[in-house]
């Protein structure tokens, strides 16, 4: 069987698993959070596999080779610590609330206005992340077909496959496929790394090459400008992914509060450790094929790993590599298609019309198809943008528009709707202003937006509002009457 034949067989298996998962879907809770019934090992695998996407296999090695560890602070470091922080500080409190989406929290805490705006911010932020996966699928099919299939055609094929198995099974489909895909990722990339080290003359040669190129320098140069932009990159995914539906769904899908806490912590730690494997393979390529690797670094660094495998490894390892790569891409793509879909239906559409559970389930599936079409169009429009950059851009919105209302809503009793509104307005306007002007080259827009959003949240919550005054006056009047006791009648 040819390489493309093995890939087609793998894709068919994924679709079959998705269709099997559909038999478990009876209501919206099954579709959105797998009926809150996933055991610990599945929570770990689904958090790991969802994070381990195209940017980890193709984007992170390219950034590491080009700029060293310093350039990877956003991913994998920020991404991994996001999951760890979710488990440590958010999972237990949110799990007890028995919510279907993260938008439900904003409604319960701040009202429908904040719910709808936060849901829009969260849904829009997924465009870049899903587009990164669709772009990677297009690249994979382009390479596998010997360039007979164009990248755009590959994007369309990849979107159709992921959509097919996700639209029927929802979170159950995602969780079952993630379990299989994590096994393939771990085994496949470990074998590739072992073989790459052998081709390079030993792992020590690879590490020595990276050290000679100063790739292990993690912190920026000691200037205020460098540190500000490094910190901005660090918080983009680390904070921007916390108020996100895909992470929230994995927490809510656990079968107990304890597993909801432990799952993302273990998944984040596993992700941080294993993300080093494709980085190692990328550096090994420069030892094995130095001239070709340097050429690809100048043209498109994302092709370095696939080229190493295609030109220097036996057929069985090519099958393993592309199986692992497709696993990484599809696990992330399916989860990131489902997340904005459930958010839109639960927190926007249901505010506009009344839906039965059955109608809501049908609306989720229709919305999934529509969102997939939008993502495909966006991916084609953004063709040529590096995968790592597409992912980084996606998380800027939640950092400045949704983080502080979630954190202080959970941990500060005095936080108010006015505070949430001020946080959103100040954070988003600061970010937009700096992003659209040359001033953003001196002050990082994400970091400044995060700081202003925090100031807005605190100031808006502490300052009085008409509603707060009326509430206090009513309460004071009630207390006066209670202490005065019954009054005589005439």
């Amino acid at each position: 069987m040819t390489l493309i034949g093995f890939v087609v067989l793998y894709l068919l298996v994924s679709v079959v698993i998705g269709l099997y998962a559909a038999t478990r879907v009876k209501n919206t809770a099954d579709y959105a959070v797998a009926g809150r019934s996933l055991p610990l090992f599945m929570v770990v695998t689904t958090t790991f596999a969802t994070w381990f996407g195209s940017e980890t296999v193709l984007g992170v090695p390219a950034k590491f080779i080009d700029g060293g560890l310093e350039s990877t602070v956003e991913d994998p470091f920020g991404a991994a610590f996001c999951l760890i922080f979710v488990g440590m500080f958010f999972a237990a409190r949110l799990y007890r609330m028995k919510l279907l989406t993260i938008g439900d929290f904003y409604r319960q805490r701040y009202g429908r206005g904040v719910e709808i705006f936060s849901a829009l911010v969260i849904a829009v932020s997924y465009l870049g992340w899903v587009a990164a996966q669709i772009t990677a699928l297009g690249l994979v099919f382009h390479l596998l077909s010997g360039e007979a299939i164009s990248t755009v055609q590959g994007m369309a094929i990849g979107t159709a496959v992921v959509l097919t198995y996700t639209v029927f099974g929802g979170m159950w489909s995602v969780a079952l496929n993630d379990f299989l895909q994590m096994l393939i990722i771990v085994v496949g990339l470990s074998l590739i790394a072992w073989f790459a080290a052998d081709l390079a003359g030993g792992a020590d040669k690879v590490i020595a090459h990276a050290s000679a190129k100063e790739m292990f320098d993690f912190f920026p140069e000691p200037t205020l400008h460098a540190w500000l932009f490094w910190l901005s990159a660090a918080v983009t995914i680390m904070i921007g992914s916390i108020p996100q539906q895909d992470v929230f769904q994995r927490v809510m899908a656990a079968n107990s509060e304890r597993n909801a806490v432990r799952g993302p912590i273990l998944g984040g730690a596993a992700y941080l450790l294993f993300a080093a494997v494709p980085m190692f393979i990328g550096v090994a390529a420069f030892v094995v094929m130095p001239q070709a690797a340097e050429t690809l670094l100048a043209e498109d660094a994302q092709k370095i790993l696939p080229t190493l495998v295609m030109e220097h490894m036996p057929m069985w390892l090519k099958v393993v590599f592309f199986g692992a790569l497709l696993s990484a891409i599809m696990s992330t793509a399916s989860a990131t298609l489902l997340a904005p879909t459930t958010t839109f239906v639960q927190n926007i559409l249901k505010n506009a019309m009344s839906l039965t559970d059955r109608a809501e389930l049908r609306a989720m599936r229709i919305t999934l198809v529509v969102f997939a079409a939008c993502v495909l169009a966006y991916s084609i429009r953004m063709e040529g943008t590096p995968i790592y950059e597409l992912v980084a851009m996606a998380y800027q919105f939640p950092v400045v528009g949704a983080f502080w209302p979630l954190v202080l809503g959970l941990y500060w009793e005095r936080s108010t709707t006015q505070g949430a509104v001020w946080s959103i307005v100040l954070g988003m306007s600061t970010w937009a202003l700096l992003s659209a002007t040359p001033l953003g080259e001196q002050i990082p827009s994400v970091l400044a937006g995060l700081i202003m959003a925090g100031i807005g949240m605190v100031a808006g919550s502490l300052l009085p509002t008409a509603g707060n005054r009326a509430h206090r006056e009513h309460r004071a009047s009630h207390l006066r009457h209670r202490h005065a006791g019954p009054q005589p009648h005439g």
Side-chain angles (χ1 to χ4, degrees), residues 121-142:
V121 166
I122 291 167
V124 170
S125 72
Y126 279 97
L127 269 177
W129 199 10
V130 189
Q133 315 314 313
I134 299 305
T135 299
L137 285 171
L139 176 63
V140 170
F141 285 117
H142 179 65

Side-chain angles (χ1 to χ4, degrees), residues 63-64 87-88 119-120 154 162 172 209 272 283 316 325 334 361 399 457 487:
K63 294 289 288 187
F64 176 63
M88 292 174 64
L120 283 171
V162 174
W172 266 117
H209 179 84
L272 183 60
V283 177
W316 70 273
L325 179 56
S334 58
L361 182 56
V399 172
M457 187 74 213
Q487 300 298 314

Side-chain angles (χ1 to χ4, degrees), residues 33-47:
V33 292
R36 293 169 65 95
S37 59
L38 298 185
L40 177 62
F41 75 91
M42 290 193 76
V43 179
V44 173
T45 56
T46 196
T47 50

Side-chain angles (χ1 to χ4, degrees), residues 328-362:
I329 296 169
M330 293 199 304
S331 63
T332 301
S334 58
T336 48
L337 277 174
L338 183 63
T341 296
T342 52
T343 298
F344 174 81
V345 173
Q346 179 73 8
N347 303 116
I348 299 176
L349 189 62
K350 283 182 70 176
N351 278 310
M353 62 179 68
S354 178
L355 295 172
T356 64
D357 191 79
R358 186 173 180 179
E360 185 178 349
L361 182 56
R362 182 169 61 249

Side-chain angles (χ1 to χ4, degrees), residues 3 8 10 21 23 32 69 72 97 137 149 171 211 216 219 241 296 305 319 363 398 419 423 443 451 454 462 468:
L3 178 58
V8 170
Y10 171 71
T23 63
L69 278 181
T72 66
M97 298 177 73
L137 285 171
I149 298 174
M171 187 59 198
S211 181
F216 295 127
F219 296 105
S241 289
L296 288 171
L305 260 70
V319 173
S423 175
I443 304 172
I451 293 170
L462 292 178
N468 286 342

Side-chain angles (χ1 to χ4, degrees), residues 1-10 140-141 144-145 149 315:
M1 185 181 289
T2 63
L3 178 58
I4 193 73
F6 279 109
V7 169
V8 170
L9 179 62
Y10 171 71
V140 170
F141 285 117
L144 285 174
S145 65
I149 298 174
M315 175 60 74

